[in-house]
Amino acid sequence: MDTFEKLDSILSSQDSRFTTPSSYLSSPLVGVPSTSIGLISQGEITSHVISNQEISDCDADTLFQACSISKPVGITAIFRYLATTENAPISLTTRITDCLSPQQLELISTPAIKPLLAHVTVAGLMSHSGGMSVGGFLGYPLSVALQTPKSVPDSPSTIVSGQAPVNSLQVHPMLFPGQAFSYSGGGMTVLEMIIETATSTPFAEFVKKHLLEPLSMTRSFYELPNPESNLARAFVNGNIPCTERYHLLPEKLAAGLWTTPSDLLKLVHAIQKSLRGEDPSVEFLPKSWAQKMLSEVAFDRAHGWSAPKSTNSFQHSGSNEPGYRCILVGYGDLAGTVGRKLQEPESSNVTPEEKMGTCVRNGEGFAVMTNSGFGYTLYNRIWNAIAYLKGWPERGGELGDSDTICPFMDRKIPVSKRWLAWKGTWGPDSEWTLDEASADKPEVPDQSSDAPVVKFKDLPAMGLCVAAVPPYDYAAELKRLDRDDPETEGIELVVEGLEVWIRLGWKGGSRVIKVVAAGKEDVLERSLAKV
């Protein structure tokens, strides 16, 4: 089976009441009617759509709102413009006071803070370190816009002013430039205004010329063509559509892109090739510019992308109201340490570094786009499942609270008998017990006699299944302690029917159990009591 077939098998087995991927994802348990997924490996892009066709008829060409993924897409277009334009009117170090008129600067300042504008740079806006206000935008209901077109602002200069008909606040410095990371869609709209002023070109046309057309991203638009009917409408959950089909986002660079996972992965592939520097004559970006784009500006943020070198990935997620959530991730040699000549692993005991080398060498990546407000949890679980199925290293980077989201279960794989080393009671009050299933425990009739079960206090024992997430590798920690354990990977498990993630691992050289639930992780040490 290929990756998508394996993913479908996992989704179909999560709950016996929902035996197809679409019925499970649109069920009250998940609440997402349509999920469009793309994968890239060795330059080949494949797509897969899971959709409840009765209420949300989507295919691989269906457009979804890219939400904040609009930012790295637009900023990559700016980088290509800067890299290919002689004597460009702006640069990354240009101060906004040098590229905006006094009238435009008045729109984003007050008398008290006006002097700070001279210290806000283009790179600061790209990396959310410029101290600008307005984190995101609500958009404008489609029905209202159709009835009253003037109810939607038509330029970035109007949007940043906060004046009617704008439904957001004025964009202005709210922190000292460079003081802290402060996510700012408002700052991106200032950048959009700068690009339109410097190039005398509407932003949608600018990106089309410098990125969408060169990469044949034919299903990507900062301005929707008219007519365009193949759109994923927004849903509240898996079966209730939002009152509005979608919201208009005139804040194009911040949140205005419509696209597909396959088109987004064309961009990922172009960046991966540029990072390799294989053929300067066909590079989308010169290697040095690709590296510069994905280098840290401040506070672990690159230009438009989250690109932590430790993960060798460049990524961004997105969320638009009333109901779109999405994620884009690509792997590349950001730190310059992987190298294209890295040998394939020679044993089955593959290190995290070897896994990462394979990801980079193969040019791996993925995109997930959903049309529900509940898509955030789903795309994080899909990310974990894809990484698990493809043998990628444990994920990292733009996590937020997503590292506490319970993974899917893989019921087809038996739990490794290595779990027996963690058998016993855990926690300061011996509240947790990890034990073997047996005939005298009718609470878990489907478990084989050597399968693990977990018990909390005096409540019924619950079965444990393999978690569809890459196992954490403790090799580095055990090596520091001069431990020569042949097996260094932890064991990732999910409690049957619950959103409780049980992680069997080590801390300080001793075995521990990490219980991840309710948005936090508790580390349990072995208690003195016996099973």
Side-chain angles (χ1 to χ4, degrees), residues 65-68 70 137 249 254-257 318-325:
Q65 286 192 355
C67 315
S68 286
S70 306
F137 299 99
L249 274 298
L257 178 66
S319 171
N320 273 4
E321 298 307 327
Y324 297 95
R325 306 291 186 268

Side-chain angles (χ1 to χ4, degrees), residues 211-427:
L211 188 141
L212 302 181
E213 287 185 340
L215 296 182
S216 299
M217 294 173 65
T218 56
R219 292 297 290 162
S220 299
F221 310 95
Y222 277 93
E223 286 185 353
L224 280 174
N226 188 14
E228 175 58 65
S229 59
N230 194 3
L231 305 173
R233 72 162 299 156
F235 276 72
V236 176
N237 56 22
N239 53 69
I240 299 177
C242 297
T243 303
E244 295 291 333
R245 179 172 179 143
Y246 59 86
H247 285 184
L248 295 176
L249 274 298
E251 305 87 359
K252 293 181 176 62
L253 175 56
L257 178 66
W258 289 85
T259 187
T260 67
S262 294
D263 257 20
L264 289 175
L265 291 174
K266 292 178 182 178
L267 172 59
V268 166
H269 185 48
I271 294 173
Q272 290 169 332
K273 290 195 297 183
S274 295
L275 286 171
R276 297 188 191 111
E278 295 173 347
D279 185 351
S281 66
V282 298
E283 286 174 352
F284 174 70
L285 282 172
K287 181 177 180 178
S288 61
W289 277 89
Q291 292 174 326
K292 183 184 298 184
M293 180 176 70
L294 299 177
S295 64
E296 180 184 352
V297 178
F299 312 111
D300 295 324
R301 298 292 296 209
H303 303 82
W305 297 88
S306 173
K309 288 185 178 180
S310 61
T311 67
N312 275 310
S313 66
F314 50 100
Q315 52 192 263
H316 210 290
S317 59
S319 171
N320 273 4
E321 298 307 327
Y324 297 95
R325 306 291 186 268
C326 50
I327 184 78
L328 174 66
V329 178
Y331 287 93
D333 190 6
L334 307 188
T337 58
V338 175
R340 296 186 62 226
K341 295 183 179 180
L342 183 71
Q343 297 297 312
E344 291 283 354
E346 296 181 356
S347 69
S348 59
N349 190 20
V350 184
T351 68
E353 292 77 17
E354 289 170 329
K355 290 181 180 179
M356 180 57 68
T358 301
C359 278
V360 171
R361 185 173 50 252
N362 290 344
E364 304 277 8
F366 77 95
V368 180
M369 308 189 82
T370 73
N371 63 338
S372 164
F374 291 101
Y376 171 78
T377 298
L378 175 61
Y379 76 60
N380 276 287
R381 297 175 81 183
I382 289 176
W383 180 355
N384 279 330
I386 289 174
Y388 162 80
L389 292 171
K390 292 183 69 66
W392 294 350
E394 188 188 39
R395 56 180 281 187
E398 195 174 270
L399 290 173
D401 62 353
S402 60
D403 53 351
T404 60
I405 291 176
C406 188
F408 291 125
M409 296 174 285
D410 185 353
R411 298 179 181 277
K412 303 295 177 65
I413 303 296
V415 177
S416 167
K417 292 185 179 181
R418 291 173 49 226
W419 78 265
L420 288 166
W422 281 266
K423 180 180 176 182
T425 55
W426 298 84

Side-chain angles (χ1 to χ4, degrees), residues 475-497:
E477 177 178 340
L478 294 173
K479 185 176 181 180
R480 285 196 303 268
L481 298 168
D482 293 326
R483 290 277 300 275
D484 191 24
D485 292 54
E487 296 284 355
T488 59
E489 285 189 345
I491 300 176
E492 312 290 346
L493 304 169
V494 175
V495 179
E496 173 75 39

Side-chain angles (χ1 to χ4, degrees), residues 88-107:
I90 62 170
S91 69
L92 297 176
T93 58
T94 297
R95 299 179 180 186
I96 66 174
T97 50
D98 294 331
C99 53
L100 294 176
S101 69
Q103 293 78 15
Q104 290 172 316
L105 293 171
E106 287 292 332
L107 298 173

